[in-house]
Amino acid sequence: MTTRETETPDVETMMATLGYSKQARQRVREEVALSEALREAIQACASRMQAGEALSWEELRQRLTEVAEAHGYPMGIPMPDMDLAEQFISANLTPLGAVMQHNQQQLHTEMAGQAEKQGLRVRNSWTRLGDEEVVVVEEASSGQSASMRVPMAGVRLRKLLDTAMVRTKLMNLTAEAELRAMDALKEKISAQQWKSYVLNGMFPESSKRSGVFYFFRKGFPTLAASFSDRYPRGHILAALCLHPFGYYAGTFCGSMTPTDEVIAHLLLMRADEHGFWKKSGQWSATDGRSGL
Amino acid sequence: MEMEILHSVYGDKKRRIDTATEAGRQEAAVLLNRLMAQGAAVILQRGKKAYKVKGYDPVSDLLTVQVGPTKQVTTSGRRSKTTVVAPSAGG
């Protein structure tokens, strides 16, 4: 009680100093109320467990969902797993996004991002023939630059293994949820597409608007390809990576089950193709993030 | 109006709002406005076609949907399924 009384004026003063708009202030107030309710719910669950009661993940998730819905977030709230080393990157406007990392500036190559995390100043980075990435970094003390060549085969394998590990570790990504998502997808695609999805883990669909062919893949970015006279066998325009709520850095794993993400890609492509491209990370086929 | 909130982890998150009543229309308006303010994409499906919902008028019980780069039309959402996709991050 005392904490709430002392904290609230601080938040209000801070918002007034920073010149928050009326709408932004309301949003912060709602998120503060939500975080307090979540803390109370988690503490109540912890007390029950300390008292010797067995509490399943399903029950905890249900409790948190109730809190989210009571505070006007019918989509739920992404709760990052504290045991994971991979950082959770949340979408803009996600509730409690400020305590997680918002979508950051996309560097030219993935290795450049990792070099920056290690405190190195990146001057440039690119991919080159021979399946390599080159990152030029600057030494802080001397100002001299050095280049690093990273073979991508190992990086891709590491990414695949990290993705598999994160998905398996995450308590909320259950096999039942994935099967439910597959049932939902089945209603939205043709019988032929469904067969392809079950047998190959991917299905194609073309956009009448743009003529672009999309290959929606389970657990990987969607491939956008163009078939024309110039490229009769197809040419990959980009691998489009998009995760509802957010994703775990350095992996292909999002906070939803893989097929839920496929549904999100499919519906956004059908309803708002331009918006789908705009929001997605657009990787070239040679980039490790394309999942090729 | 049937609204499917895409999140299989939470189970069957479908909401049916009876927009034949005044209270139902007001509920639909509040919910849709809130979801869109939260950055969610609300998508109306008709067979294989899908349209982005831009707004809802509780008086006429009509949804405004985007059908082209600059063209919007109003339509009834009663016989269509609406799916809500959470705000997304590209990565």
Side-chain angles (χ1 to χ4, degrees):
Chain A
M1 194 67 190
T2 325
T3 322
R4 193 176 294 181
E5 277 169 6
T6 51
E7 273 179 4
T8 310
D10 283 347
V11 173
E12 292 292 336
T13 316
M14 186 193 77
M15 287 193 293
T17 316
L18 294 172
Y20 274 38
S21 67
K22 196 178 165 187
Q23 203 180 2
R25 284 182 198 203
Q26 182 59 25
R27 194 163 169 245
V28 170
R29 282 186 204 113
E30 283 173 8
E31 291 207 356
V32 168
L34 172 69
S35 71
E36 284 181 3
L38 280 174
R39 194 183 59 202
E40 280 168 20
I42 292 169
Q43 276 176 349
C45 289
S47 305
R48 280 167 62 189
M49 287 177 79
Q50 270 183 340
E53 194 180 331
L55 197 68
S56 69
W57 277 105
E58 185 60 41
E59 285 171 284
L60 177 64
R61 195 163 54 237
Q62 185 61 37
R63 182 73 198 100
L64 299 181
T65 306
E66 283 167 14
V67 172
E69 290 195 348
H71 282 76
Y73 294 98
M75 292 173 293
I77 316 158
M79 298 299 291
D81 194 311
M82 298 303 162
D83 289 340
L84 287 176
E86 284 78 6
Q87 193 178 23
F88 183 74
I89 315 278
S90 74
N92 202 5
L93 292 177
T94 301
L96 305 179
V99 295
M100 295 174 255
Q101 187 88 25
H102 272 309
N103 215 5
Q104 294 293 299
Q105 180 201 354
Q106 306 286 356
L107 287 156
H108 184 57
T109 66
E110 194 166 21
M111 287 303 108
Q114 291 196 4
E116 280 218 328
K117 267 186 206 163
Q118 288 166 15
L120 296 167
R121 188 172 164 213
V122 176
R123 277 193 170 178
N124 200 358
S125 67
W126 63 88
T127 54
R128 55 176 269 178
L129 285 175
D131 202 24
E132 279 185 342
E133 273 187 12
V134 181
V135 184
V136 180
V137 294
E138 192 178 292
E139 211 182 326
S141 52
S142 63
Q144 284 185 328
S145 59
S147 68
M148 301 188 293
R149 286 167 55 184
V150 188
M152 289 308 290
V155 173
R156 270 196 281 268
L157 175 65
R158 187 74 253 164
K159 206 171 166 74
L160 269 179
L161 295 178
D162 285 348
T163 305
M165 220 148 56
V166 172
R167 277 208 192 106
T168 316
K169 272 186 181 176
L170 281 173
M171 289 301 190
N172 60 342
L173 298 189
T174 59
E176 291 74 23
E178 173 61 14
L179 292 172
R180 235 174 351 237
M182 286 178 76
D183 282 342
L185 176 68
K186 193 180 178 184
E187 290 172 13
K188 294 170 179 38
I189 55 178
S190 69
Q192 202 62 22
Q193 286 175 319
W194 173 246
K195 183 182 170 188
S196 174
Y197 188 69
V198 174
L199 297 181
N200 308 317
M202 62 189 273
F203 66 88
E205 182 162 315
S206 67
S207 162
K208 280 182 186 162
R209 208 175 289 120
S210 63
V212 172
F213 281 77
Y214 293 90
F215 296 91
F216 297 96
R217 302 184 295 165
K218 182 177 186 168
F220 293 104
T222 292
L223 299 176
S226 156
F227 291 82
S228 61
D229 292 345
R230 193 174 169 202
Y231 299 106
R233 286 171 62 82
H235 162 65
I236 296 174
L237 301 170
L240 303 171
C241 188
L242 182 90
H243 302 276
F245 281 132
Y247 63 97
Y248 290 86
T251 73
F252 297 112
C253 182
S255 63
M256 284 186 170
T257 55
T259 303
D260 263 347
E261 297 195 331
V262 169
I263 298 174
H265 284 211
L266 176 71
L267 293 181
L268 285 171
M269 186 282 284
R270 284 179 180 171
D272 183 15
E273 196 176 357
H274 177 75
F276 175 46
W277 276 77
K278 200 166 77 176
K279 280 196 170 181
S280 298
Q282 301 171 9
W283 312 127
S284 90
T286 54
D287 195 305
R289 288 166 287 190
S290 67
L292 285 170
Chain B
M1 187 184 294
E2 188 180 273
M3 215 179 285
E4 171 193 54
I5 295 168
L6 184 64
H7 207 315
S8 299
V9 171
Y10 296 144
D12 188 17
K13 290 201 80 177
K14 280 183 189 161
R15 283 211 183 175
R16 281 177 192 85
I17 302 172
D18 182 12
T19 51
T21 65
E22 175 64 29
R25 288 197 290 275
Q26 290 302 331
E27 189 191 342
V30 168
L31 185 61
L32 279 170
N33 286 335
R34 189 163 178 87
L35 286 167
M36 285 189 277
Q38 286 172 7
V42 183
I43 296 159
L44 180 103
Q45 293 161 80
R46 288 235 172 97
K48 271 189 85 177
K49 286 187 177 172
Y51 307 94
K52 194 174 183 189
V53 175
K54 304 296 282 185
Y56 172 70
D57 179 16
V59 179
S60 59
D61 188 21
L62 289 174
L63 290 162
T64 306
V65 295
Q66 190 86 34
V67 290
T70 55
K71 194 178 174 189
Q72 295 184 350
V73 297
T74 53
T75 179
S76 165
R78 284 195 193 172
R79 289 187 186 171
S80 316
K81 186 181 262 185
T82 308
T83 304
V84 180
V85 178
S88 305

